[in-house]
Each structure stands twice: as structure tokens, then as C-alpha cells.
Amino acid sequence: MRSLVRECTLTTNDFVMPVFVMEGENKEEPIPSMPGIFRRSIDLTVKECKELFALGVKAVNLYMKVSDHLKDNTGKEAWNKNGLMQNTIRAIKDAVPEMIIMPDVALDPYSIYGHDGIIENGKIVNDATSDALARMSVSHAEAGADIVAPSDMMDGRVQVIREALEDSGFTDVGILSYAAKYASSFYGPFRSALDSAPKDDMEIPKDKKTYQMDFHNSREALNEVFKDIEEGADIIMIKPGLPYLDIVTKVREAIDLPVAVYNVSGEYAMVKAAAQNGWLDNDKTIIESLTCIKRAGADMIFTYFAKEAAMILNG
């Protein structure tokens, strides 16, 4: 009877798996703060994508662990046609053509400062960063990306990216915009995975509060969402997930576009830590958490639980 009257059902079609990639061959490194999650070389990333697709997880979100010698203040490695991201996209598309590839578009993994933007005179410069993100997005599209996912929160960057994609002939490449991304404490494990936290330098901003949203604010999220839709976004992202489900519902009720929600690294780490201590039932908590995100209004959920949740749902 409960199944017959159930209002919300979770399936593997709801999931996008974030994937961390590193240089090398046949390499796999565990991320201590995210048990069960790894940085992998391209060959092992391709193997992982094959396994994910076989389980019913049909989309991945790519992040690169960039070597220090390739980092600078311009982020130019981000649009290197033979860069780690570009080679990863091509390798996955060759091996699993139907896998939807959504590469992250942001400069922080490529920045010597760990910021999402270019820095001049101690400040993030918005327009120069947007131009760099557009070059990065076109490079991803050329490599075979289906959807680019700008996570930087620069003002106006969706329009700049959309125009660059159109001018380059990539009219079918979508934009998933991180429209309501909050300056959150829940990102810690992710930043350690990529070594992308802002550097402790008195000459630059010590955090990302000058461009990410204030977690005290709710109405501001709708303003950000509407602006990105006007600029050409195809999908809207809210990040983080569980502590921000009020924002998810508010956005879902206000727009008709697909809504994505990011069940972030800190949320993952808390569940895993509690489960390892026997304080929570791992499987039941994963499914309940993800179902609650969907119930709040998410059309797709970016989650590090994607593979594990698919295995649970598949029995």
C-alpha cells in the first residue's frame, strides 16, 4: 500500500556521479575525508565510467587534480586542447559514447591562488574570468562534452559562455549553471581532494564570499536563478543540498527548467563517518537522504553516493 501511494520514487536515472581525475596511468588514490571515493588516472576513470553506466548511472561530472607546475593566475591550462580534462572527456566518449559528460567549468583547480577567478590587485576580476571560462567551455565542447557546468559564480558568465559556444558552432552543448551556490563550510573534503582551497595570502581574499552566496539569504537565490535563465542556462544548480532544501523547493516552484542539486562532499563525509561508527545505517541513510533531495524538487542529483546508491537500488 505504501508503494502504491508513494509520491516520490528514487531511481538511478536521477544521479550524476562526480569523478576526480589525476595524471598518470593505472593510478588510484583514496581521498581520506571521503571514504570510498578516489582520484584516478584516465584509464581507471574510463573503467569506473563503464561500471557506472552498467549500473544505470548515465552522467558524470568531471574534476581535475592539476599538477602544481601547470597552475598560474590565468588558468590557461584549463583550455589546453591536450590537457587532462580534454583527454579525459575524449577517452570516456570513446569508451562509453552514451555517457553524458558534464565537465566542471571553474578556474580554482588551475589557479595558484585556489580561487575561481583571476586576481588583479588583490581582487577577483569578473569579466576577465568570464572570458577565460568561455574559452574553457569551448575547449570542453570540442573534446566532446555534452553539457558544460560553470560553478564559479561570476556575474554574467552564462551569457558569455553561451555566446562563445554559439559562435563556435556548439549549439547543442547545454549549460548547467551553478546559479545558487553558497559560500559553505560543507565543501572542505572536496577542496582537499583537488587541492583547490583558497591559499592563505594576505594579498588576496581568504575565502570565496566575494562571489559565492551568503548562506543567510534566500530571496537572493531566486534573483541569481532568474538572471542565469535570462542569459541562456539550460539547467539550474543549487549547492549544497540537504541544508538548503528550502532553496530547492523555492526555485522548483518558481521555474520550469530542470533543477539540479549537489549533495556535496561534506554531506557525504558526515554520513560515512557516522555509518563507520555504527551511529547510522549506511544504506538506509543514503537512500533517505537522496530521496529527500528529490522530494524537495530536484530533477537530478549530483552525489558521491551515486554508484553505491545504484547498487542498493539494483539490489
Side-chain angles (χ1 to χ4, degrees):
M1 181 61 73
R2 289 170 73 91
S3 298
L4 283 171
V5 299
R6 186 160 288 157
E7 300 172 18
C8 174
T9 302
L10 190 72
T11 78
T12 58
N13 292 326
D14 299 316
F15 302 146
V16 179
M17 180 71 179
V19 173
F20 298 118
V21 185
M22 60 184 290
E23 295 282 3
E25 188 174 345
N26 196 32
K27 285 187 175 182
E28 181 178 83
E29 294 179 353
I31 299 168
S33 56
M34 300 174 69
I37 303 299
F38 300 84
R39 288 182 291 264
R40 295 183 175 93
S41 53
I42 294 178
D43 54 335
L44 296 186
T45 297
V46 168
K47 180 182 177 184
E48 178 73 0
C49 287
K50 289 179 178 178
E51 293 178 9
L52 287 166
F53 199 82
L55 287 167
V57 179
K58 301 169 184 174
V60 289
N61 176 220
L62 301 180
Y63 298 90
M64 302 297 111
K65 174 66 171 68
V66 180
S67 300
D68 286 344
H69 74 278
L70 296 174
K71 298 181 180 183
D72 61 13
N73 187 36
T74 70
K76 65 179 182 295
E77 179 61 21
W79 53 86
N80 178 359
K81 291 186 177 182
N82 293 306
L84 183 59
M85 175 68 88
Q86 291 75 7
N87 288 335
T88 301
I89 294 170
R90 283 190 286 265
I92 295 172
K93 271 298 177 188
D94 286 345
V96 196
E98 292 182 298
M99 179 69 84
I100 299 299
I101 301 178
M102 306 182 189
D104 181 61
V105 177
L107 297 184
D108 50 333
Y110 303 89
S111 168
I112 53 174
Y113 299 115
H115 271 285
D116 292 51
I118 295 168
I119 292 179
E120 293 178 5
N121 301 319
K123 294 182 179 181
I124 307 294
V125 288
N126 189 95
D127 293 356
T129 298
S130 294
D131 291 339
L133 297 172
R135 295 186 68 177
M136 186 178 182
S137 297
V138 171
S139 178
H140 292 174
E142 289 173 342
D146 301 284
I147 297 171
V148 294
S151 63
D152 54 286
M153 288 293 287
M154 298 296 121
D155 291 335
R157 92 281 201 212
V158 171
Q159 182 172 340
V160 176
I161 292 171
R162 172 58 70 202
E163 291 174 352
L165 290 172
E166 296 282 333
D167 291 345
S168 301
F170 296 108
T171 56
D172 293 335
V173 174
I175 299 176
L176 185 151
S177 171
Y178 288 61
K181 180 179 180 180
Y182 285 83
S184 172
S185 300
F186 286 90
Y187 303 149
F190 172 92
R191 289 175 180 169
S192 65
L194 291 184
D195 187 26
S196 62
K199 300 299 182 282
D200 188 11
D201 188 324
M202 294 298 291
E203 300 300 319
I204 63 172
K206 63 181 179 180
D207 53 41
K208 301 188 177 185
K209 293 179 179 178
T210 60
Y211 48 97
Q212 293 180 356
M213 284 183 55
D214 183 349
F215 64 81
H216 298 84
N217 294 354
S218 173
R219 294 189 302 272
E220 182 188 1
L222 288 177
N223 290 333
E224 295 285 354
V225 166
F226 291 143
K227 287 177 182 176
D228 284 5
I229 292 173
E230 279 185 29
E231 293 173 19
D234 300 292
I235 304 169
I236 294 299
M237 170 72 86
I238 293 107
K239 184 180 181 180
L242 290 172
Y244 294 79
L245 294 187
D246 60 318
I247 307 300
V248 176
T249 299
K250 186 171 287 191
V251 170
R252 171 72 289 157
E253 291 173 348
I255 70 171
D256 294 324
L257 288 184
V259 173
V261 177
Y262 208 128
N263 179 220
V264 300
S265 60
E267 299 168 54
Y268 176 91
M270 289 192 299
V271 170
K272 281 299 180 184
Q276 287 179 348
N277 280 283
W279 300 334
L280 290 174
D281 181 297
N282 181 77
D283 293 5
K284 290 180 180 178
T285 304
I286 289 172
I287 298 304
E288 181 179 345
S289 298
L290 298 178
T291 301
C292 289
I293 294 173
K294 185 173 181 181
R295 188 193 65 219
D299 296 294
M300 62 188 76
I301 305 170
F302 285 52
T303 178
Y304 302 96
F305 289 123
K307 186 177 185 181
E308 194 171 1
M311 294 173 72
I312 297 167
L313 292 173
N314 290 335

